[in-house]
Amino acid sequence: MTIDDPRVDGLTEAFLRQHRRYTSHQVAELAGVPFHRARRFWRALGFANVADDAIEFTDADVEALKTLMGLLADGTYDDEHIMLMARSLGRASARLAESQAELGAETLDLAGVPLSRRSHAWQRRADRVVPDLERLLVYAWRRHLAASAGRIVDQETASTRLAVGFADLVGFTRLSRQISETELARLVERFESRSADIVASSGGRMIKTLGDSVLWVSDTAAHAADIALSLVGAHARVKGMPQLRVGLAIGPVIGRMGDVFGTTVNLASRLTSLAPAGGVLADPAIAGELEDHPRFGLRAESLQVVRGVGELVPYLVSRA
């Protein structure tokens, strides 16, 4: 199908739930927003520019622009933070939409829907799933917002003390050349989903997944160590899954737009590359907090020079 194919138009409107009737200039005018500002908002949300005479916009686009301008006008956000908010919303929703589209395509594949019927099948699927997914999206967002607000409400700055864990699959690049793309996708899905379950159920917070690696944070060294050892053990029991290695560090962490930055994050990543397959390697600060903990054992390793950090003695963490 090409972009001019009427089936594409029908499919797009099935998901938008509204008819496209405005150009970009008309949307900006109806919303009372200067055109250059409207286009900045559009790009911040992750959407590509369209031709000035293209009829691509709906009443929902007008309302979205009005909402953004309202948040600016009443002082809820300043110019910098309204754009940061729009970018974070665009990134998160784009990734969510991509994953849901992939799941929809897999469902149609499994159902044996021929390519000639795909557009019609997608439109019927949109009628069925969009209203429900919309409600679930708002529900999940509110839950996560409540948890995040409760966690950071007493923080005076964007930096807070957290334990950071970084785990990756050993030999993943070599393995990816030896198995099919379908097998690789399934392996990554198993790794990411199982990791997310363990992190969440153990009191941590998943920051991001990168195919063969995961990054998470937790409030204490004990939580971080428990998550790390649970990840290593759980993935070791999965047939065909490469061994996992984990790096742990604790210290000041800068949180921004749902991501984390700083020396502590870098140190956890560096320790991962030094950790043995199937092992959890922690910085001295983590080891200090776990030293008298009844659930964990520690073994000092040889002095290491960690790039960007300097010399330190890392510790292998195990179950006591």
Side-chain angles (χ1 to χ4, degrees), residues 240-291:
M241 183 70 69
Q243 285 186 292
L244 198 66
R245 59 183 179 180
V246 184
L248 296 177
I250 193 168
V253 172
I254 299 169
R256 191 66 168 171
M257 307 295 286
D259 207 343
V260 290
F261 308 93
T263 303
T264 305
V265 179
N266 294 338
L267 178 55
S269 175
R270 301 282 188 266
L271 289 172
T272 303
S273 64
L274 298 173
V280 176
L281 199 62
D283 75 334
I286 289 274
E289 296 195 18
L290 298 181
E291 187 173 8

Side-chain angles (χ1 to χ4, degrees), residues 24 27 35 65 68 206 234 249 271 300:
S24 53
V27 165
F35 177 70
L65 276 179
L68 287 166
M206 184 70 81
L271 289 172

